[in-house]
Amino acid sequence: MRGTGGALLYATLKSYGVTCLFGMEDPIHVFHAVDRAFTRIVTVRDEKHAAIMAHGYAQVTGRPGVCAATFGPGATNLITGLLEAQRSSVPVIALVQDHALRLKNKHASSALDHAGALGPYVKEVIRIDLPEQVGDAVRKAFRIATTGRPGPVVLLCPGDVMAAETEAAVHAEPAYTHFPANRARASREAIAQAAELLAGARRPLLIAGGGTIISGAEEEVRLLAELFDMPVATTMTGRGAIADAHPLAAGPLGSTTGGRYGRGRVPNTLLAEADLAFVLGSRTGQICYSEWSLPKAGTKLIHLDIDPIEIGRNFPTDVPMVGDVRDTLRDLLAYCAEHGLARTDGAARARVAELTKSWREEFDVVGTSSQVPIRPERLLSEISDSSDDNTLIVTDASYVTGWAMSHVDVPRAGRFILSPRGTGGIGWSLPAAIGAKMADPARDVVCVTGDGAFGYVFNELETAARYGVEVTVVVFNNGTLGFQRHWEQKVMGRYLECDFLDIDFAQLGHVLKCGGERITDPAQIAAGLKRARDAGKPYVLDVVIDPDATAPIVGFETILAADAVH
């Protein structure tokens, strides 16, 4: 194909099936070459949100998301979103306008060393210095983004290169249109060792991390769990590895979900009791492994991950397995079938049922509460009851993560909930929900956010309205930075500047061309959720919740005497 560098770059993106470009319209020679019948241009209010929208798009489609920004401050605005994608193993390709070589070191407007500024937050920065390099550079970006542990890549696009004409190949490499690409498998020796440990364990526990979802290994997880009568716990990003209705589903591990009213008490107990933990696709981080106090010393550990750097990082590992979760589990299941390895005595199912019943009895007190201000547990119960197989829940960080991970039932195996657990930064869910909905308009996308987090991103309501993105936004409005307030009370005995004015975000939704309503009575929640879903446009539910209610965080149980149901 002959054309400008920008036209060649877009044609290569199109060959990879890129249907959305999120960002500001720079590099302009790329955007002005876009086939608008195939690819939607989504102009955002903040470049950071473009990277997050591309993140949500990637998680729903299984394809790299693409965002764009201009040079200097526009490029640095991408950093928060790119860092989350890096830590969450999500492929995002960022197109960044760069200065021509002739302008380097001359204090050109908004000059910046883009490679130096962005390099620490991505897998690679690729600068295109000649227009004939465009096709190869795009293909390299997709290869890097989708292979190994997936992650973000930056393409630096100097304006003069994008404007120059040349000829270049614009084809895609089919193997790298989706992720994970080039699936590796653990060795035969590691598979044999893992199988023997599983067969000999008395109380094994399978821990499914985010890599399980990325790999699409839900069916293999179920088969392995049933083969060895093994409960399945998940990390927060692993939610959906098994449906909650399955008798071996234990729920989300960790300190964020393991406190009062938290479902995490079930898997935390099972992990404390386990003589073997089989970890799949998890970085074994601080929160999900309870400050690394679980698994306990002496527990045997098998760790399967695509990234060898993560294996053995935090725990002694008896069997290290480097490979893709889905394909390695297929090999493991085949090995077990070949050697007649299995155990199905039913004891694990009974233990899961016992622990789940105990948790549910305590939780239902708050989950059905008619208290005003509304208990967040009641709100999450209503969201859970209104969700089905077509629902996608997109949560923000901080308290709503713990509430949603613990209190929303996962109705099916697969991607049901998105959350920014790579860095845990607030102000993520709305742009991620927009990206997810644009990736699959048929999904019922519900954005769950706190009022503090929503304050970072509510400007993108106008973006949702402008593009007709029908997302339901549920704002947990307690008029305060809840985690900060309660942490200060726990550590210092009081809190300082955490409270906000009473803002009705539903009114803000109307101003920004969306629908919305405020809910103060728990009896109104179900009808409000239905009106939001039927609105035919973005809709904000501003739900006033109890400012003294804490997330189910271990150690937060006794912060406030007032945190009680009435």
Side-chain angles (χ1 to χ4, degrees), residues 47-131:
E47 293 90 343
K48 175 183 76 173
H49 304 153
I52 298 171
M53 289 178 193
H55 183 144
Y57 173 96
Q59 288 188 291
V60 169
T61 61
R63 296 172 176 267
V66 182
C67 61
T70 191
F71 43 66
T76 57
N77 283 344
L78 292 172
I79 287 175
T80 299
L82 294 177
L83 175 60
E84 178 60 40
Q86 180 196 57
R87 295 289 181 86
S88 294
S89 305
V90 174
V92 170
I93 294 173
L95 312 178
V96 175
Q97 178 93 8
D98 198 5
H99 293 86
L101 286 176
R102 64 183 175 80
L103 297 177
K104 293 294 184 182
N105 300 314
K106 299 184 71 166
H107 296 306
S109 175
S110 300
L112 180 71
D113 176 1
H114 292 104
L118 302 175
Y121 312 104
V122 297
K123 292 183 75 173
E124 188 158 339
V125 176
I126 303 167
R127 181 182 160 93
I128 305 171
D129 287 319
L130 298 168

Side-chain angles (χ1 to χ4, degrees), residues 399-416:
Y399 268 6
V400 293
T401 292
W403 283 326
M405 293 293 176
S406 174
H407 307 333
V408 175
D409 292 323
V410 174
R412 62 174 180 84
R415 192 172 295 286
F416 172 74

Side-chain angles (χ1 to χ4, degrees), residues 22-44:
F22 302 97
M24 301 295 185
E25 291 193 15
D26 259 325
I28 59 172
H29 291 90
V30 176
F31 277 84
H32 279 257
V34 167
D35 175 0
R36 302 287 287 276
F38 186 86
T39 303
R40 202 168 190 185
I41 295 173
V42 183
T43 301
V44 297

Side-chain angles (χ1 to χ4, degrees), residues 132-153:
E132 53 265 33
Q133 296 173 339
V134 164
D136 287 338
V138 173
R139 286 186 286 274
K140 181 180 179 182
F142 274 81
R143 285 196 301 273
I144 293 170
T146 58
T147 55
R149 187 161 78 86
V153 175

